[in-house]
Amino acid sequence: MASYSNFTDATKEDGSLQSICYKRGSLQLLDQRKLPLETVYLDIQDARDGWHAIRDMVVRGAPAIAIAAALSLAVEVFNMEAFNGTSDDAASLLGKKLEYLVSSRPTAVNLSDAVTKLKEVISKAAAVASEARSIFMAYIEAAEIMLKDDVASNKGIGSNGSSFLQRQQHNSNKLSILTHCNTGSLATAGYGTALGVIRALHSEGVLERAYCTETRPFNQGSRLTAFELVHDRIPATLIADSAAAALMKTGRINAVIVGADRVTANGDTANKIGTYSLALCAMHHGVPFYVAAPLTSVDLSLASGQEIVIEERSAKELLHSRGGLGEQVAASGIDVWNPAFDVTPANLIFGIITEKGVVTKTGMDAFDMKGFIKRALISCSV
Ligand code: MRU
C-alpha cells in the first residue's frame, strides 16, 4: 500500500511543477486529488501502487499515466531482493505486470504505446541475456528514457505550436488562448502539451491571456491548470465550462488548444469530456481549434474515433463535489452518465501540434497521421 511523504512544495530546481519524482529505486507521485490545497506525494513501491494511483487519479493526464506506470514497475524490480528465476522468467514477470498496468485506464493510448515499446525492449533483452538481472536493468533503463523523452517532446510541441500560431496571426496583436482540462507539467513528465504551447507563447512575450475551463466533474481546470498558471505567473482567467460559448462570442479568443488521449489515423481525437462541445463552439465562432499532443498519443491502428474505447467513471464524481471526493451535491436516486472523454471529429480540428511539427489537413475532413509520422521518421534518420 502506498504511503504519504510531505513536501513543502512541488517545485523543481528550474522552478517548474513536478508530478513525478523519480530516482532509480524510488518513485513519488504528487497526489493531484489534493491540489491545489495540499502538496503531498505518495510513495509508489510497485506496479500495484502504480495501478491504484492511475485508477484513483493520484496521477492523471495521458503522458503522465504512461510514465508513472512504467516507473512503478521499474522501482519494483530494482528493489526486488531476490529473484531466483531465469531470464525468461524475468521477461514473463515483466510482461504480466505490464498487462496489469495497462488495465488501469483504457482511453489514453500513451499507456498501451508505452507497454508495447517496453515489451519490445524486454524481448530484445531476453534474446541476448542469460541473467534475470540484465532483463530488469534493460527494462529500468527504457522506462527512465521515457521520462526524459516526454519533457523533450513537450518542449518541441510548445515551440512548434507557438511559431505556427504566430505565423497564422496576421496582425501584431498578442494572442488569447482558451484551453480545457489539464495538460501541463502535472499531466506529463514536465512542461506540458497544450499548456506547453501557452507557456511558450508567454515566454516569447506574445500571450495576452490564457483562459481555462473548470473541467467538470473532476475540475482538472480549476484545480490543476489554474494552479499551474498562477504558479508560472501567466495572465489567466478561469471560466465555468458553460461560459465558453459566451466567451468566444466576445471575440476575445484567438485559438482553442487542447490535449489528447488518443488521436486516430484520420485525426479524430479523444480528450477530456467537453472538448467536443468546445470544438463545435469554436467552429461556429470562426475560432481555430488545435490539438497539441506528442506522437505517443497517436494510434495508427484505429482508422477513426468511432473505435476508441471511452472510459466511464463512477457516478460519485458527479453526485459529490470535488469530483467525488467532497460532500454530496446532487439529488439521491438520480441516474448518472459519466464518460471521462469524448471524441472530436477531425473536421472540427484546424491543426494537430506535435513535437515533429504541425499536422494540417489533407482534405476537408481528415488528417493523414500515418503519412506525417512516416515523413517525420524519415527526416529523423537522415
Ligand atoms: O482524466 P484525465 O485527467 O486523465 O484527462 C486528461 C486529459 O483529457 C488531457 O487533456 C489529456 O490526457 C492530455 S494531457 C497532456
Side-chain angles (χ1 to χ4, degrees), residues 57 60-63 65 105 108 180-184 187-188 192-194 218 220 258-261 271-272 311 313 340-341:
M57 308 282 272
R60 27 68 46 205
I65 62 181
R105 288 190 78 190
H180 186 53
C181 195
N182 173 262
T183 60
T188 61
T193 57
F218 204 71
Q220 288 94 332
V258 299
D261 283 80
N271 190 52
K272 180 52 53 195
E311 174 185 6
R313 293 192 61 88
F341 304 97

Side-chain angles (χ1 to χ4, degrees), residues 315-354:
K316 199 169 175 212
E317 289 185 356
L318 246 77
L319 295 172
H320 288 238
S321 67
R322 294 178 41 238
L325 304 168
E327 75 279 15
Q328 185 179 336
V329 286
S332 301
I334 188 73
D335 288 342
V336 167
W337 180 52
N338 183 22
F341 304 97
D342 56 27
V343 175
T344 299
N347 68 324
L348 298 178
I349 302 170
F350 189 77
I352 300 180
I353 305 166
T354 77

Side-chain angles (χ1 to χ4, degrees), residues 60-66 105-111 113 150 154 157 179-184 187-188 192-197 256-264 267-273 275-276 289-299 308-310 340-344 349 351-355 369:
R60 27 68 46 205
I65 62 181
R105 288 190 78 190
T107 304
V109 72
N110 308 58
L111 181 54
D113 177 71
D150 187 54
N154 295 338
I157 291 170
T179 191
H180 186 53
C181 195
N182 173 262
T183 60
T188 61
T193 57
L195 207 50
V197 179
V256 179
I257 313 180
V258 299
D261 283 80
R262 195 179 291 248
V263 179
T264 57
D268 290 352
T269 296
N271 190 52
K272 180 52 53 195
I273 191 74
T275 302
Y276 176 39
F289 182 94
Y290 295 92
V291 168
L295 294 181
T296 51
S297 300
V298 179
D299 181 358
I308 300 175
V309 175
I310 299 291
F341 304 97
D342 56 27
V343 175
T344 299
I349 302 170
I352 300 180
I353 305 166
T354 77
E355 68 275 32
M369 297 309 293

Side-chain angles (χ1 to χ4, degrees), residues 76-348:
E76 175 170 346
V77 294
F78 183 81
N79 294 324
M80 204 175 261
E81 279 181 4
F83 183 79
N84 294 324
T86 62
S87 57
D88 284 346
D89 295 333
S92 139
L93 175 92
L94 288 167
K96 280 190 195 135
K97 296 217 176 226
L98 285 171
E99 276 311 309
Y100 164 68
L101 281 161
V102 89
S103 71
S104 55
R105 288 190 78 190
T107 304
V109 72
N110 308 58
L111 181 54
S112 50
D113 177 71
V115 164
T116 306
K117 287 177 179 151
L118 289 165
K119 281 185 176 170
E120 280 165 17
V121 168
I122 298 165
S123 22
K124 277 193 193 142
V128 291
S130 55
E131 284 182 15
R133 197 74 209 153
S134 317
I135 312 287
F136 289 150
M137 284 316 294
Y139 173 85
I140 291 167
E141 280 160 20
E144 289 172 352
I145 289 171
M146 286 180 171
L147 176 68
K148 215 169 93 223
D149 282 356
D150 187 54
V151 182
S153 296
N154 295 338
K155 296 219 162 134
I157 291 170
S159 99
N160 290 337
S162 170
S163 333
F164 187 87
L165 284 160
Q166 290 180 61
R167 281 199 303 276
Q168 295 291 309
Q169 179 77 353
H170 300 300
N171 54 41
S172 56
N173 293 345
K174 289 183 171 185
L175 300 168
S176 284
I177 308 294
L178 172 64
T179 191
H180 186 53
C181 195
N182 173 262
T183 60
S185 297
L186 298 168
T188 61
Y191 201 71
T193 57
L195 207 50
V197 179
I198 290 173
R199 283 200 161 95
L201 289 167
H202 176 64
S203 70
E204 290 164 28
V206 291
L207 181 77
E208 177 70 31
R209 180 160 290 271
Y211 288 85
C212 63
T213 58
E214 275 185 300
T215 321
R216 297 267 181 126
F218 204 71
N219 293 94
Q220 288 94 332
S222 55
R223 294 188 306 104
L224 309 176
T225 302
F227 182 64
E228 291 204 37
L229 290 165
V230 171
H231 177 274
D232 281 17
R233 298 192 169 85
I234 296 175
T237 302
L238 172 67
I239 61 161
D241 294 341
S242 45
L247 176 65
M248 286 191 219
K249 198 175 176 192
T250 65
R252 265 184 273 165
I253 298 300
N254 300 98
V256 179
I257 313 180
V258 299
D261 283 80
R262 195 179 291 248
V263 179
T264 57
N266 68 344
D268 290 352
T269 296
N271 190 52
K272 180 52 53 195
I273 191 74
T275 302
Y276 176 39
S277 323
L278 287 178
L280 285 167
C281 198
M283 180 63 87
H284 179 78
H285 292 98
V287 176
F289 182 94
Y290 295 92
V291 168
L295 294 181
T296 51
S297 300
V298 179
D299 181 358
L300 294 180
S301 76
L302 301 187
S304 82
Q306 281 173 347
E307 298 167 65
I308 300 175
V309 175
I310 299 291
E311 174 185 6
E312 291 199 17
R313 293 192 61 88
S314 133
K316 199 169 175 212
E317 289 185 356
L318 246 77
L319 295 172
H320 288 238
S321 67
R322 294 178 41 238
L325 304 168
E327 75 279 15
Q328 185 179 336
V329 286
S332 301
I334 188 73
D335 288 342
V336 167
W337 180 52
N338 183 22
F341 304 97
D342 56 27
V343 175
T344 299
N347 68 324
L348 298 178

